[in-house]
């Protein structure tokens, strides 16, 4: 891991993973002020090549008036992929989808070349065993205030991480998650999560599910998952659901980012 660029409290690395065999583009935004006693909260942003700058600016601007915005100074980590749009798309399908014995594809994907998939366990190992220890070693981090943000396929990965490695983060922010993937298989993971609910930590974990009102079937999918998690009523999991009016899959992230980031401090 080598620091290549450091400009105005933003650092950029290339970090090669032994678990995935892939080199990730890591960007880190650091607050200018001294860290609080317990360290800074951390937002880990998947699809960092698309959303890191937005997340950085939300924290930078709104932390100036934290008592009103409920967004405190924090470290923002962007985890991005390299290559052309097609190469990045294929890598996303690999890193963010859970392994399965077989896959069921919606009609819109049946003739598409989406590349290999099912690499979520390896990508999670990269996060847990390589990236997060490097961040904790290098920066002053509050290990009890760590959030994972993802949109679309990476939103699916956020849910899967909550359901399979609950204690890794305290805050899970799933924007327009691809609940449809593999015939809604994530709902099975949610049920398994419910049955092992006693493994949750004593402190509450939080999950925010957001979606744009113009995202057709994804609106229904998000509502179904939210309803199921409410039925499960796990005492140590707080679940919130927000539908952003008049937003579609491409436009929704800037609309919900502030709401998502406030979860860390509310």
């Amino acid at each position: 891991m080598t620091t290549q660029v450091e400009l105005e409290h933003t650092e950029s690395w290339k970090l090669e993973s032994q678990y995935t065999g892939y080199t990730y583009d890591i960007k880190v935004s650091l607050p200018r002020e001294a860290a609080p006693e317990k360290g800074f909260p951390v937002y880990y942003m998947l699809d960092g090549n698309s959303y890191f700058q937005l997340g950085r600016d939300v924290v930078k601007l709104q932390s100036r008036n934290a008592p009103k915005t409920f967004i405190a100074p924090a470290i923002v980590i962007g985890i991005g992929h390299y290559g052309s749009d097609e190469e990045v798309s294929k890598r996303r399908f690999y890193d963010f989808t859970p392994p399965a014995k077989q896959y069921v594809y919606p009609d819109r994907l049946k003739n598409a070349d989406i590349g290999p998939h099912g690499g979520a366990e390896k990508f999670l190992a990269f996060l847990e065993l390589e990236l997060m220890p490097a961040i904790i070693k290098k920066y002053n981090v509050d290990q009890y205030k760590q959030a994972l943000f993802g949109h679309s396929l990476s939103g699916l990965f956020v849910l899967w991480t909550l359901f399979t490695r609950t204690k890794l983060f305290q805050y899970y922010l799933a924007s327009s998650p691809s609940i449809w993937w593999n015939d809604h298989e994530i709902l099975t993971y949610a049920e398994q999560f419910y049955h092992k609910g006693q493994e949750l930590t004593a402190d509450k974990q939080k999950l925010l599910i957001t979606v744009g009102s113009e995202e057709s079937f994804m609106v229904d999918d998000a509502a179904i998952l939210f309803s199921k998690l409410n039925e499960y009523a796990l005492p140590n999991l707080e679940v919130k659901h927000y539908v952003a009016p008049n937003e579609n899959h491409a436009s929704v992230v800037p609309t919900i980012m502030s709401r998502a980031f406030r979860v860390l401090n509310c």
Side-chain angles (χ1 to χ4, degrees):
M1 180 182 67
T2 58
T3 300
Q4 290 189 323
V5 179
E6 186 169 351
L7 180 64
E8 295 182 354
H9 297 272
T10 297
E11 299 181 3
S12 180
W13 318 332
K14 290 182 179 180
L15 184 54
E16 183 177 1
S17 171
Q18 295 181 0
Y19 294 94
T20 67
Y22 185 86
T23 299
Y24 295 92
D25 180 19
I26 307 299
K27 289 185 170 60
V28 183
S29 174
L30 301 167
R32 293 181 178 274
E33 54 264 74
E37 183 179 350
K38 294 182 179 179
F40 286 116
V42 183
Y43 299 94
Y44 285 89
M45 304 196 67
L46 305 175
D47 287 321
N49 38 327
S50 295
Y51 304 119
F52 167 75
Q53 184 171 338
L54 178 61
R56 178 200 65 186
D57 290 348
V58 165
V59 171
K60 179 181 177 181
L61 294 173
Q62 298 193 34
S63 63
R64 295 173 182 172
N65 194 0
K68 290 187 176 180
T69 64
F70 299 103
I71 294 179
I75 298 172
V76 180
I77 313 291
I79 307 162
H81 297 96
Y82 289 98
S84 66
D85 289 347
E86 181 180 358
E87 290 169 335
V88 169
S89 177
K90 289 182 178 181
R91 190 70 207 189
R92 293 179 73 250
F93 268 102
Y94 182 73
D95 281 345
F96 299 147
T97 56
K101 293 182 179 179
Q102 61 183 17
Y103 295 93
V104 177
Y105 305 100
D107 289 342
R108 66 183 182 280
L109 290 183
K110 285 182 178 177
N111 295 318
D113 178 14
I114 61 175
H117 28 278
E121 287 183 346
K122 293 180 180 180
F123 183 72
L124 185 58
F126 159 69
L127 286 184
E128 182 176 10
L129 302 176
E130 294 177 320
L131 178 60
M132 294 178 74
I135 295 298
I136 290 169
K137 182 178 180 180
K138 188 173 177 64
Y139 307 112
N140 196 340
V141 169
D142 184 345
Q143 296 185 47
Y144 295 96
K145 282 193 172 183
Q146 299 189 93
L148 182 65
F149 173 89
H151 174 70
S152 196
L153 278 174
S154 60
L156 172 71
F157 179 84
V158 168
L159 294 174
W160 182 80
T161 302
L162 169 64
F163 297 151
T164 61
R165 196 86 91 255
T166 307
K167 300 177 184 179
L168 191 56
F169 298 92
Q170 293 76 45
Y171 305 88
Y172 292 85
L173 313 173
S175 169
S176 308
S178 298
I179 295 168
W180 55 266
W181 173 255
N182 203 19
D183 199 20
H184 298 81
E185 182 185 35
I186 196 67
L187 299 179
T188 301
Y189 280 102
E191 185 176 354
Q192 294 169 352
F193 169 73
Y194 162 66
H195 288 300
K196 66 175 185 179
Q198 295 305 314
E199 296 180 14
L200 287 171
T201 59
D203 296 327
K204 276 193 174 182
Q205 251 96 359
K206 294 182 180 180
L207 167 65
L208 174 65
I209 306 168
T210 64
V211 67
S213 66
E214 305 305 307
E215 294 193 74
S216 61
F217 64 88
M218 299 186 80
V219 179
D220 295 333
D221 286 350
I224 289 169
L225 176 60
F226 177 67
S227 177
K228 282 186 174 294
L229 292 175
N230 271 339
E231 288 175 14
Y232 296 158
L234 290 168
N236 292 328
L237 178 67
E238 178 184 318
V239 186
K240 294 184 178 180
H241 176 225
Y242 175 68
V243 180
N246 305 314
E247 302 296 344
N248 57 48
H249 197 64
S251 68
V252 68
V253 173
T255 304
I256 59 87
M257 187 71 76
S258 293
R259 180 182 296 267
F261 277 21
R262 283 197 298 268
V263 170
L264 199 63
N265 298 292
C266 293

